[in-house]
Amino acid sequence: MWRNSLLMIMMFFIILTMKAQAPAPSQTKSHTPHKVKVMTQQERLAQRKAESAKKDTLKFPLFNGVYIGADLYGIGNHFLGSHYDAYEVSADINLKNRFFPVFELGYGKTDYTKNGSTYTASAPYFRIGMNYKIKHKTKSESHLFVGFRYGMSKFNYSLNTAGLTDGIWGGTVPLKIDNASTTAMWYELVCGIRVHVYKNLMMGWTVRYCTRIKANGTSEGAPWYIPGFGQNRNNNYGFTYSIYYKLPY
Amino acid sequence: MKKLLVWTLVIIAIIMSACEEEYETSVSRTQMKLTFYRRTDTSTVNMGVSDTLNIYALKTDSVLGSAKDSTTSAYSLPLSYTADSTVFILRKGAKNFVSDTLVVKYNAWAHFLSMDQGSVMYYNISNATITHHFISYMNIISKNVREVETENLRLYYVAK
């Protein structure tokens, strides 16, 4: 059920992104008849060479703009029944139309109860890294990218349980973690798409393969959830679907 | 555009496989692992006691470990949650039995694993002693009793 809902919503967003990428109808269909120039093979080759040469000679200045973004997936995830919420904004700079240094700032929280145990944690987190635009010899804002991130969150976590009851000898051992403080660090390999939607508005999604570096706990237990990383495992997959605005200067 | 579509499909596949819900089953009670070794003049072999063996614990009626043949050489035994020691009676033989008493002292505390796996008891064995009626001696191999079982105590008996 959860997966189906997720699939439906993702397909919706992806189709939306694809539609945004597609040329406008006015560009593809013309109501006025026009003459079609028949090109010879040699002319076509020459044209391609000329286009290729033009692309190769495209020079971009160092600074090409600043983009600010907000993640919509983290908010939507809450309504899909996820055990944790994430609210995230980002800022990145286009350098040479190729390198995009990124800073992401978010707030993650969970308040989850299962089998009589309640786990709570909430804290800000940040990621810093860079995206690399795969096809950078084009002026188009739409692009595929790969990149990396380093993430960190300093947070407190609490656990409330009824304790452990000994089924053989009897008796109960209490188990409670009260505001244990820890710092988690991780890195991410990312890839994704960003497409131009309208004027300075863009949309895109990013898939993240996250690897935990550190997340120490107490002797009573390690954190179960890490803000910005998700469930405390060696590796996690993450996903963000963001809307971006290119600042007009 | 086609490339974009291919990339999209590839990434959807990655996400879908990543979204496979991982159900971690709850972890059962942590247990101390005991192994038996048979000693002769020339060798030491990981081997059962070649007879009926029943293991009881004081303050409970349960038989915690039982074997009627020589093949069982390892036993997993629970430890009390609330006491700082557990006493086991190892009884060898069906009729004319011979018994040894094993006393295990430890520090115990509850440990949270995850919301799916739940919580378990962790123990650090501080001391272990045994009488010597059919067991000749004992080694503590690992002091830590955790959810992943490892050999904790090794008991040696002399072959007759």
Side-chain angles (χ1 to χ4, degrees):
Chain A
M1 180 67 182
W2 186 89
R3 289 194 60 206
N4 288 344
S5 310
L6 179 67
L7 184 64
M8 293 283 281
I9 285 170
M10 277 180 51
M11 290 306 288
F12 170 75
F13 278 127
I14 286 159
I15 289 164
L16 197 70
T17 316
M18 299 299 289
K19 286 198 95 172
Q21 173 74 352
S26 58
Q27 288 174 303
T28 52
K29 287 181 184 176
S30 176
H31 296 290
T32 52
H34 59 277
K35 284 184 181 178
V36 179
K37 188 188 171 190
V38 180
M39 293 169 82
T40 64
Q41 185 75 14
Q42 278 183 332
E43 281 174 327
R44 269 194 223 114
L45 276 171
Q47 192 186 19
R48 275 183 200 164
K49 272 187 181 175
E51 279 171 4
S52 175
K54 195 180 168 185
K55 271 186 180 179
D56 289 342
T57 54
L58 266 178
K59 295 275 184 195
F60 292 96
L62 176 67
F63 178 77
N64 290 281
V66 175
Y67 305 78
I68 53 169
D71 174 41
L72 306 176
Y73 183 78
I75 299 165
N77 217 7
H78 173 80
F79 298 103
L80 291 170
S82 174
H83 307 314
Y84 16 84
D85 302 340
Y87 310 100
E88 189 176 312
V89 290
S90 67
D92 56 291
I93 306 168
N94 182 343
L95 299 178
K96 287 278 187 188
N97 200 41
R98 186 187 297 200
F99 304 105
F100 292 70
V102 189
F103 180 76
E104 294 163 339
L105 183 69
Y107 187 83
K109 70 170 190 173
T110 186
D111 186 348
Y112 179 46
T113 300
K114 187 177 181 183
N115 298 331
S117 299
T118 302
Y119 181 96
T120 52
S122 57
Y125 62 88
F126 79 86
R127 301 190 200 99
I128 192 162
M130 191 159 69
N131 290 341
Y132 179 81
K133 186 176 176 178
I134 290 173
K135 278 195 164 182
H136 51 271
K137 287 175 184 173
T138 166
K139 283 182 178 175
S140 173
E141 291 284 2
S142 304
H143 63 274
L144 296 169
F145 62 87
V146 292
F148 66 91
R149 303 280 188 278
Y150 166 80
M152 194 176 120
S153 179
K154 185 172 167 51
F155 63 101
N156 292 345
Y157 64 99
S158 297
L159 176 77
N160 209 346
T161 73
L164 286 175
T165 302
D166 191 336
I168 298 174
W169 285 274
T172 300
V173 177
L175 175 58
K176 197 174 178 182
I177 301 173
D178 196 18
N179 253 349
S181 178
T182 189
T183 302
M185 297 174 199
W186 68 94
Y187 67 83
E188 301 177 359
L189 299 175
V190 303
C191 65
I193 286 176
R194 186 182 294 188
V195 295
H196 180 232
V197 179
Y198 178 72
K199 289 189 175 175
N200 283 15
L201 210 60
M202 274 147 270
M203 278 181 168
W205 40 270
T206 308
V207 179
R208 301 158 183 274
Y209 181 69
C210 318
T211 302
R212 185 186 61 199
I213 300 169
K214 178 192 149 188
N216 294 337
T218 66
S219 60
E220 283 82 20
W224 171 71
Y225 162 80
I226 299 168
F229 181 84
Q231 214 162 311
N232 186 3
R233 301 187 182 113
N234 288 334
N235 299 104
N236 257 344
Y237 279 99
F239 183 76
T240 45
Y241 185 88
S242 301
I243 187 159
Y244 300 95
Y245 180 75
K246 185 178 182 182
L247 298 180
Y249 49 82
Chain B
M1 192 66 187
K2 275 183 183 174
K3 278 186 181 175
L4 203 60
L5 186 64
V6 170
W7 271 93
T8 303
L9 293 174
V10 167
I11 291 169
I12 289 171
I14 293 169
I15 296 166
M16 286 296 100
S17 62
C19 286
E20 285 285 346
E21 290 183 39
E22 287 182 32
Y23 290 107
E24 293 169 327
T25 52
S26 60
V27 173
S28 55
R29 186 179 180 126
T30 48
Q31 301 198 88
M32 178 184 70
K33 191 174 178 185
L34 206 74
T35 53
F36 284 89
Y37 278 75
R38 180 175 186 253
R39 283 198 79 192
T40 62
D41 292 338
T42 54
S43 66
T44 303
V45 185
N46 180 208
M47 196 173 165
V49 293
S50 309
D51 204 342
T52 300
L53 181 78
N54 289 313
I55 303 175
Y56 307 89
L58 284 190
K59 299 178 186 173
T60 175
D61 300 330
S62 313
V63 177
L64 302 175
S66 180
K68 288 183 178 175
D69 51 46
S70 62
T71 55
T72 308
S73 62
Y75 296 84
S76 297
L77 303 176
L79 298 169
S80 168
Y81 285 5
T82 51
D84 59 1
S85 64
T86 302
V87 181
F88 298 98
I89 311 295
L90 283 63
R91 185 172 290 172
K92 182 190 161 204
K95 287 181 181 174
N96 299 320
F97 56 79
V98 53
S99 297
D100 269 318
T101 304
L102 169 67
V103 182
V104 183
K105 290 185 178 176
Y106 48 81
N107 298 315
W109 67 97
H111 182 87
F112 169 69
L113 293 174
S114 73
M115 294 301 280
D116 295 323
Q117 292 179 302
S119 305
V120 291
M121 289 300 290
Y122 273 9
Y123 304 90
N124 262 8
I125 297 171
S126 56
N127 190 25
T129 53
I130 193 162
T131 56
H132 300 288
H133 295 114
F134 73 95
I135 299 294
S136 53
Y137 68 100
M138 176 179 66
N139 274 347
I140 300 176
I141 305 298
S142 171
K143 291 186 173 184
N144 297 327
V145 181
R146 301 288 186 263
E147 71 275 17
V148 178
E149 239 176 54
T150 52
E151 184 182 11
N152 297 109
L153 300 182
R154 189 174 288 181
L155 308 182
Y156 297 88
Y157 64 94
V158 179
K160 289 177 183 173

